[in-house]
Every structure is written in structure tokens, then in C-alpha cells.
Amino acid sequence: MEKEGRAKNLLENGEQEMTNPSWRYSCPHVLVATIVAFLFGYHLGVVNEPLESISIDLGFSGNTLAEGLVVSTCLAGAFAGSLISGWIADGVGRRRAFQLCSLPMIMGASLCATAKTLAGMLAGRFLVGLGLGVGPPVASLYVTEVSPAHVRGTYGSSIQIATCLGLMAALVIGIPVKNIVGWWRVCFWVSTIPAAIFALAMMFCAESPHWLYKQGRFAEAEVEFERLLGSAHVKSAMLELSKSDRGDETESVKISELLYGRHSRVVFIGSTLFALQQLSGINAVFYFSSTVFRRAGVSSNLANVFVGIANLTGSIVALVLMDNLGRKVLLHWSFFGMALAMAVQVFASSGVASYYGAFYFSVGGMLLFVLTFAVGAGPVPGLLLPEIFPSRIRAKAMAFCMSVHWVVNFFVGLMFLRLLEQLGPHLLYSIFATFCAMAVVFVKRNVMETKGKSLQEIEIALLPQE
């Protein structure tokens, strides 16, 4: 068999390198991939400030359902995109999948920028969402597969930082919207620039050697490993790939195999992590932050800046610590810190504290929540899941887990205000705190540490050999 022959050859002709590959080879490729995370953050935040102006110009001012659709249609598109992202990534490769996802983002943003009606805006937002649904899971795959093991956590954290920068860019660019007529159209046009740069830059980036190996294109995989790791580490990298090769790489992966087969445990872990990430209430907190600050006479712009700084600070901490402390430690203490922050929010809304005391507790709890989220619960799942999924199912399992993420995200966003009215902040924040506490227990019992391990070592450790 050809693969067995190659593995024997590698064992005879090459020895495992004891030194780590230089991060300088892979860094440019990872930086280009993070542009899609920047676009993800930008498009999630681009309608926040301009929504009022958009509703006036397009004739649906005061229609809260229409305003909600402008926001949620993008999420619906992202859900649809995430369902097919794995099949696209496996079918045409990671690099081509990136280029394909940039097309609906460019077309959709252009449609939004030129929209004359609500229908045109919704069509554009759905197209953008399709691109956002495909891009981030492929980015997680790509960064995991092209990164040397010793910096894979750092590179994975850069995706979260790029998302934060995208959100902050959307905020900054949206500031003149209330003073300049039609500025919201500029906000959408601006996003086409990084999307076009992303599509072009991907032409010069390496394809995932893992994907090439699955396709039986071994010589090309070696060439890409040389670009990413340096020539001294090519043989050891190819040897690692051959160790986990089970001979069934070309067989199609069915949904039933993800849910009930030998891979169901890791898919369950991944889906649950993404569900708990959203059920923690992070998007609700992002939404409610402006209201809390406004009640104290602080502008929503300043509120968004504080939340953005907390988010970026936590992401930088994660970047520094991910490959030192490890994924499980950060995830565990991140959810613990979020539970503590929600407990502070519960105290602030209980009526025990004075008015000013309640405000400081509420704002402090909110910023602590965002900070601790960004340290672990935000960046770790997107990095950890491609690490624990076997090569054969990696793309499709990520697609499945991301679809769970988008469904839970959608329902939390849809139900938050209604639940806030019916239950009150005290009970609602208690529910969020409970989910965070459940996440602490789940991580402790089910998540393995992957720091410093090759993808093949992780696969062999998790998957029972048959």
C-alpha cells in the first residue's frame, strides 16, 4: 500500500527533530487567515450604530421586527453557511474555501450599501451571513493545521483578537453616522476592502498539508510543510501524519457517524462547549451593556469602548497564556470567572445595594464577565475542537458544532429581551451564572489538555484503536 510504504520510508530516512520549527515560516499564512475573523467581528457590529439611520432611510423606522431582522438575518445566513462549510473545506481545500467565502461577503456588503428597500438590505445581510458561516470554522481548521504545535495556541488566540479588532473597527467607522447623511452606506462599502485583500492574499498562502495528505497528494503536502515549518522538519511532520492514517481518509463522513459512531464523544464535547459558550449569556451582556451605562448617564459609545477594551485585553492575555498554561486551564478558570461575574450582576440587581453601589457592581461585573470570557471561553473552543477532532472528520465536525453555536446564539438573542421583561435581571442573570457553573464542571470532566501536542498525538490519545 502506498501510504504504508511512505511511512516506512520516513522511518528509515528521517529522525524526529528535537527542536521546534520557527514560527516565522507559518506566521504570514496565519495572519492572512485571521482577516476572515476581522470581517466576522466587523459584520457582527456594523449595524449597531447605523441601525437607526438605516431604518429611517429605508422606511421602516419604528418597526422593531424589521430592525431585528436586519440583525438576525445575518445569523440565519451564518447558520446556513456553517452547515456546508465542512463539505466545502473538504471538497475544494481550505485555501479555496476561504476565497469562496469572501465572494458572498463582498456581494452582500455591496448589496447592503446600495439597498433602497428593506428586502435589498435583508438579501445583502443573508449573503454576508453565508460567508461568515463558512469563513470562521475554516479559519479554525486552517490555523490548527498549519501551525507548529508549540505556537498553535498563540495562533488560535489571534483569531479572537482579530474578531475584537473587527468589532472595534465597526464601532469607530460608525461614529459619524448620526452627523453625515448616508454614512451607513460607507460602513458597508469599507468591509469590501479587507474581503478583497483576503481573497487575493490567499492565492499566495500555503494549502493545509493535512488536507493535501488526505487527498493522496503527498509531494504537495511535503512542499507545503517546507513552506510552513522549514525543510528540516518536513520528514518528521510527514511521519506524524502517517502514524494517525487509518486508511479510510477518502471515505465520506455521514452525519450519523458524527452523532452515533466512534467519533460521537468528541463531537458531543465540541457541540456542548459551543452551546455552553452561548448559554453563558455573553451576547446578552454585549447587548445590555449600553443600557446599563446609559442609565448612569454614560454614552453608549463610551460603554462600547469599555466593553471593547475589556474584550481586547482578555484576548491578549489568552494570546500570552494559551501555550503556557494550556487550553483546559484557561477554559476552566474562564467559566469560573464568568460565573463569579454573573453572581456580582445578580447581587447588583437584587436591590440590596444602594443605587450607586448597584451601578458600580453591575458595570464591574459586566466588564469582569467580558474580560474572563475573552481569556478562555471565547478563543479556546474554536482552537480546541479542530485539535481534538480526528483528521478524517475535522472539517465536517467543525461545521456541525458551529451550526449548534449559531442556533443557540440565535435563540439567546431572540429570547433575551422577552426573558428580561418576564423574569427580571436578577433571575435571568442567575440562570446565566448556573450555565457558567455547569460549564466549569463539564470542562473538568470532559476536556483533555492539548498544549504542545501534535494533532496526531491528540488523535491517537482520544480515538480508541480498532
Side-chain angles (χ1 to χ4, degrees), residues 92-111:
V92 300
R94 312 328 189 203
R95 195 174 64 170
R96 192 74 68 193
F98 277 137
Q99 292 176 312
L100 286 175
C101 84
S102 67
L103 293 178
M105 284 195 275
I106 293 171
M107 292 166 58
S110 302
L111 198 55

Side-chain angles (χ1 to χ4, degrees), residues 434-455:
T434 302
F435 277 118
C436 292
M438 289 170 59
V440 172
V441 176
F442 181 82
V443 169
K444 186 175 180 61
R445 291 183 176 178
N446 295 282
V447 174
M448 72 169 287
E449 184 53 70
T450 58
K451 178 188 73 171
K453 296 178 182 177
S454 72
L455 298 181

